[in-house]
Amino acid sequence: MDGLVQLQKQLVDYTASLFHEGFLDEQFNQLQQLQDESNPDFVVEVVTLFFEDAERLLNELSKTLGQPSIDFKKLDAHVHQLKGSSSSIGAQRVHRVCISFRNSCEEQNVEGCLKNLQQVTHEYSLVKSKLETLLRMEQQILAAGG
Amino acid sequence: MAAPSSSMHQHDLPHVLAVDDNLIDRKLVEKLLRNSSCKVTTAENGPRALELLGLTSGGQNSMNGRSKVNLVITDYCMPGMTGYELLKKIKESSVMKEVPVVIMSSENIPTRINKCLEEGAQMFILKPLKQSDVKKLTCQLMN
């Protein structure tokens, strides 16, 4: 039982640090509150969808920015999608970069867009790794009888 | 599409059609609505929503009138047909014009909000959606 309590404390602390560092915001709490007996895997499902969606969009963004003539409308449409998804799951830092990214698209600022793509890719990989850790910790707790 | 819960009488629950091109948002709104005791059908775009509502000529109405829609909640920004255009089509139809339509958007733009309200939207909600938003709208619009 001691091991379980330790794990639970670690999870609470880890989650708190993610909020504190701005990786996650209140919307992530909303997601966790939606998980219940009828939907015990809700958070994992939504987060997994987010990962798939984000990776697809990052690929599209990269492709679109790699074209000889950049289609800024298309770029903006993809960023808009990523902005929406990240906001809906509470991935705050990804969401924030998307806001800058949309401004760069509007200004048709190629350098700005390239920089934003780099930033959003970086923020995404950070939040992905942190969410995977968080979900792994939750699994461990469940396995330990929590 | 929603799978019925075995513990409830599905025909007693309000039926909401949720329209959004974003997969994550569709999943979220569906869960929020189910938590507010609604039966939910989702659509990923305006044309599909119109099909489900039986508003396209010659289109397949997969709800076949057996499950009347009590509320439509739609995203504003969708490629092709926007939520605003979907709202207009619903309000123009003789069959569905009485159904309340709620518009969701991540952007707080007063001219956009006014345009939707003037066209007959019952409510405008800012994304990301929270449980309190959905509880409020189901209480206000379907009782």
Side-chain angles (χ1 to χ4, degrees):
Chain A
M1 269 301 114
D2 209 26
L4 178 58
V5 170
Q6 270 251 7
L7 284 175
Q8 286 170 328
K9 179 166 195 310
Q10 273 172 15
L11 176 61
V12 167
D13 290 345
Y14 189 67
T15 309
S17 75
L18 295 185
F19 278 85
H20 186 67
E21 289 161 23
F23 286 104
L24 297 177
D25 64 26
E26 171 56 31
Q27 188 62 17
F28 188 75
N29 276 334
Q30 286 283 322
L31 284 191
Q32 290 186 307
Q33 283 165 32
L34 289 176
Q35 188 154 290
D36 55 26
E37 316 81 53
S38 70
N39 255 120
D41 298 317
F42 184 72
V43 177
V44 173
E45 285 169 9
V46 178
V47 168
T48 305
L49 280 178
F50 171 68
F51 290 162
E52 290 167 2
D53 200 48
E55 279 159 36
R56 176 185 62 87
L57 289 167
L58 289 172
N59 271 332
E60 288 296 323
L61 286 170
S62 198
K63 262 192 350 215
T64 309
L65 270 171
Q67 299 301 313
S69 167
I70 297 173
D71 184 345
F72 286 100
K73 276 190 89 167
K74 192 169 174 198
L75 208 59
D76 184 69
H78 290 317
V79 178
H80 176 80
Q81 282 286 314
L82 186 57
K83 177 169 155 286
S85 305
S86 54
S87 166
S88 293
I89 71 149
Q92 191 182 79
R93 281 159 62 149
V94 174
H95 180 230
R96 288 220 178 115
V97 179
C98 287
I99 294 173
S100 297
F101 205 154
R102 286 202 83 190
N103 288 335
S104 301
C105 291
E106 216 170 312
E107 294 161 12
Q108 307 211 349
N109 176 356
V110 179
E111 287 238 12
C113 285
L114 286 168
K115 179 152 174 262
N116 292 138
L117 177 60
Q118 214 176 30
Q119 288 169 326
V120 80
T121 304
H122 178 66
E123 288 300 340
Y124 168 69
S125 76
L126 285 177
V127 81
K128 178 176 184 192
S129 143
K130 289 176 191 294
L131 284 170
E132 282 174 335
T133 301
L134 194 149
L135 293 173
R136 208 166 30 240
M137 289 170 91
E138 285 184 352
Q139 280 304 316
Q140 284 174 334
I141 289 170
L142 283 175
Chain B
M1 292 247 271
S5 146
S6 54
S7 60
M8 291 190 182
H9 298 291
Q10 288 297 295
H11 53 269
D12 293 339
L13 300 179
H15 185 192
V16 183
L17 174 62
V19 192
D20 199 317
D21 60 314
N22 186 306
L23 182 56
I24 284 98
D25 287 343
R26 274 203 303 282
K27 190 167 169 82
L28 185 60
V29 78
E30 184 178 38
K31 183 70 169 103
L32 289 170
L33 287 165
R34 290 242 187 94
N35 278 12
S36 291
S37 307
C38 295
K39 174 157 133 56
V40 188
T41 301
T42 59
E44 54 182 83
N45 55 51
R48 179 65 185 144
L50 291 174
E51 240 182 271
L52 289 170
L53 292 169
L55 294 181
T56 44
S57 51
Q60 239 187 337
N61 178 0
S62 50
M63 296 195 298
N64 292 323
R66 62 174 161 76
S67 201
K68 200 168 84 83
V69 167
N70 304 108
L71 171 69
V72 176
I73 178 166
T74 177
D75 190 25
Y76 180 91
C77 272
M78 297 188 291
M81 190 186 291
T82 65
Y84 174 72
E85 287 159 356
L86 175 60
L87 163 69
K88 274 178 73 164
K89 290 219 159 13
I90 293 172
K91 292 301 166 187
E92 281 164 12
S93 87
S94 47
V95 177
M96 297 298 297
K97 66 176 178 213
E98 295 306 316
V99 175
V101 180
V102 172
I103 310 273
M104 310 179 269
S105 176
S106 55
E107 289 159 318
N108 190 352
I109 300 172
T111 47
R112 173 181 294 183
I113 299 174
N114 287 331
K115 187 174 77 164
C116 290
L117 294 175
E118 272 165 32
E119 197 59 41
Q122 214 74 20
M123 249 196 209
F124 191 98
I125 303 187
L126 280 180
K127 282 175 153 185
L129 250 52
K130 300 180 177 5
Q131 190 68 79
S132 55
D133 296 324
V134 175
K135 280 225 135 61
K136 187 171 92 169
L137 87 91
T138 52
C139 277
Q140 283 186 18
L141 299 184
M142 291 188 297
N143 280 326

